Amino acid sequence: NAGVTQTPKFQVLKTGQSMTLQCAQDMNHNSMYWYRQDPGMGLRLIYYSASEGTTDKGEVPNGYNVSRLNKREFSLRLESAAPSQTSVYFCASSTRGGARDEQFFGPGTRLTVL
Amino acid sequence: QKEVEQNSGPLSVPEGAIASLNCTYSDRVSQSFFWYRQYSGKSPELIMSIYSNGDKEDGRFTAQLNKASQYVSLLIRDSQPSDSATYLCAVRGSNYQLIWGAGTKLIIKP
C-alpha cells in the first residue's frame, strides 16, 4: 500500500517549457488535490477533484490545468512554465471531501523554472 | 479573505518540556481543524484533527479548540528531538476546502 505517489521528485524547466506532474493514490479515495507550497506561505490549493469526472479551481489556478484520468490518478499540467511557478507541489487525497475529511499527502515535486 | 495565522517561530523548547503551538482563524463558521507535522524536505503528515470545543488527547499530543475565541492549539508533552519540525494548522472553511497557516517551526533542544 504505497498511499499517494508523485512523479517526478525533482524537475528543472526553462521558461516557456511545458510539463505534467503525475499523482496516483491506492487508498480508494474519491477526492484529490493539488497544492503548491512556497517559503513563508501556507499551502495553497491549485485545483481539486471532488470525485472521478469532476475538477474545480482552487485559490491559485492560473497557469495550470488538471486531468482526473480515473479514480486513482490526477495530473497537473503547466502549459508554459514561468519563474513564478517555481515551488514545491504536493498532491493529496481524501475519502470524500466532507467536513471531517482528512487529507493525505504525496512526497512532493520540487520544480524550478529558470 | 479567510485566514489562518500562526507564529512562524522558531519556537525553542528544552527536551522533556511541553511545547505549545497556537493557531487563530478568521472564518467563524469553520467546522474542522487539523494539525500536520512537516519535516524539512518532506510532505505534511496528519497528527490530529479536532471538531468540538475542548481538548482531544492522543498519546503525547493534545489538541485544544475554542470556537468562541477562534483559536486552536497543539500541546506536545515530554518533547523529544524527533518532534523538531514545522507544524501546520489547517482549518476547513464553509466551502469545505482547507485553509492553511504558514506553520510554526519547533526546535527541541537536547
Side-chain angles (χ1 to χ4, degrees), chain B residues 95-106:
Chain B
N95 66 354
Y96 290 101
Q97 297 311 318
L98 290 179
I99 304 166
W100 295 80
T104 298
K105 184 173 183 177
L106 176 65

Side-chain angles (χ1 to χ4, degrees), chain B residues 17-38:
Chain B
I18 296 175
S20 178
L21 303 161
N22 299 313
C23 171
T24 60
Y25 59 94
S26 63
D27 188 354
R28 286 193 166 275
V29 301
S30 297
Q31 305 174 48
S32 312
F33 307 85
F34 305 86
W35 282 102
Y36 283 77
R37 176 176 62 199
Q38 186 175 26

Side-chain angles (χ1 to χ4, degrees), chain B residues 39-109:
Chain B
Y39 292 114
S40 181
K42 303 296 185 182
S43 59
E45 172 192 11
L46 180 66
I47 300 175
M48 291 189 70
S49 56
I50 186 167
Y51 313 112
S52 305
N53 279 329
D55 295 359
K56 179 182 178 182
E57 188 174 318
D58 183 359
R60 295 187 296 112
F61 298 95
T62 299
Q64 299 175 317
L65 175 60
N66 184 322
K67 289 186 179 180
S69 300
Q70 294 177 242
Y71 83 79
V72 57
S73 62
L74 180 70
L75 302 179
I76 306 174
R77 290 183 300 281
D78 188 23
S79 296
Q80 303 297 311
S82 59
D83 295 326
S84 297
T86 296
Y87 289 80
L88 307 176
C89 173
V91 176
R92 177 153 281 128
S94 53
N95 66 354
Y96 290 101
Q97 297 311 318
L98 290 179
I99 304 166
W100 295 80
T104 298
K105 184 173 183 177
L106 176 65
I107 298 172
I108 306 300
K109 292 194 170 182

Side-chain angles (χ1 to χ4, degrees), chain A residues 81-111:
Chain A
S84 60
Q85 294 178 304
T86 293
S87 188
V88 181
Y89 291 85
F90 289 105
C91 177
S93 70
S94 66
T95 306
R96 53 181 173 80
R100 297 193 174 191
D101 213 36
E102 297 173 344
Q103 295 183 10
F104 298 91
F105 285 78
T109 295
R110 295 182 177 275
L111 175 66

Side-chain angles (χ1 to χ4, degrees), chain A residues 41-80:
Chain A
M41 302 183 71
L43 288 160
R44 292 184 292 169
L45 183 64
I46 305 171
Y47 271 93
Y48 67 99
S49 172
S51 61
E52 186 179 357
T54 68
T55 60
D56 284 288
K57 295 178 180 180
E59 180 186 355
V60 289
N62 291 344
Y64 306 95
N65 284 300
V66 291
S67 295
R68 183 74 183 266
L69 304 170
N70 48 54
K71 189 171 184 178
R72 291 186 62 249
E73 299 173 287
F74 189 37
S75 63
L76 178 72
R77 183 162 178 83
L78 286 70
E79 291 290 351
S80 179

